[in-house]
Amino acid sequence: QVRLVESGGGLVKPGDSLRLSCATSGRTFSDLYISWFRQAPGKERVFVAGTTELEGRTFADSVIGRFAISRDNGINTEYLQMNNLQPEDTGVYYCAARTYEIGEQGFPYWGQGTPVTVSA
């Protein structure tokens, strides 16, 4: 059973930085392709950044140049570094994982989310 646990969210001011963590367990870390999504209040969940099998790391246009992805294979954790945060980055951030195995649909594994609020 794959388990994802996000952490690192919080309340920050515009221009600040945060690093979100997605700790994984239950599957070989290198098998997992992890993406990050954000759900703002009253809005649908949207893609923020992630790693795909074909394209490697990809980012939503709104975060290019501000957000970065990294991972620590020793502790099975993926990170989303968010710099120069803006109020429009506010929302609950989820990490999700997939393996691209035959028959898999979308992202079968999701974390519980960590809230990020950017406000002056």
Side-chain angles (χ1 to χ4, degrees), residues 35-109:
S35 287
W36 295 87
F37 296 81
R38 176 181 67 240
Q39 187 162 22
K43 296 189 177 181
E44 293 187 354
R45 192 176 298 180
V46 298
F47 171 81
V48 175
T51 304
T52 69
E53 188 176 43
L54 293 179
E55 300 175 318
R57 290 174 177 166
T58 62
F59 298 87
D61 289 345
S62 62
V63 307
I64 291 174
R66 299 189 299 123
F67 290 14
I69 296 170
S70 63
R71 56 170 44 190
D72 186 333
N73 294 318
I75 57 172
N76 301 333
T77 298
E78 186 103 343
Y79 300 103
L80 179 67
Q81 177 67 43
M82 306 188 296
N83 299 323
N84 189 21
L85 283 160
Q86 300 300 315
E88 53 266 32
D89 297 318
T90 293
V92 178
Y93 283 73
Y94 299 88
C95 64
R98 57 186 170 183
T99 64
Y100 289 99
E101 290 177 338
I102 295 174
E104 185 177 83
Q105 297 287 330
F107 291 88
Y109 312 111

Side-chain angles (χ1 to χ4, degrees), residues 25-42:
S25 60
R27 185 71 185 250
T28 301
F29 189 48
S30 59
D31 289 345
L32 299 175
Y33 293 82
I34 294 173
S35 287
W36 295 87
F37 296 81
R38 176 181 67 240
Q39 187 162 22

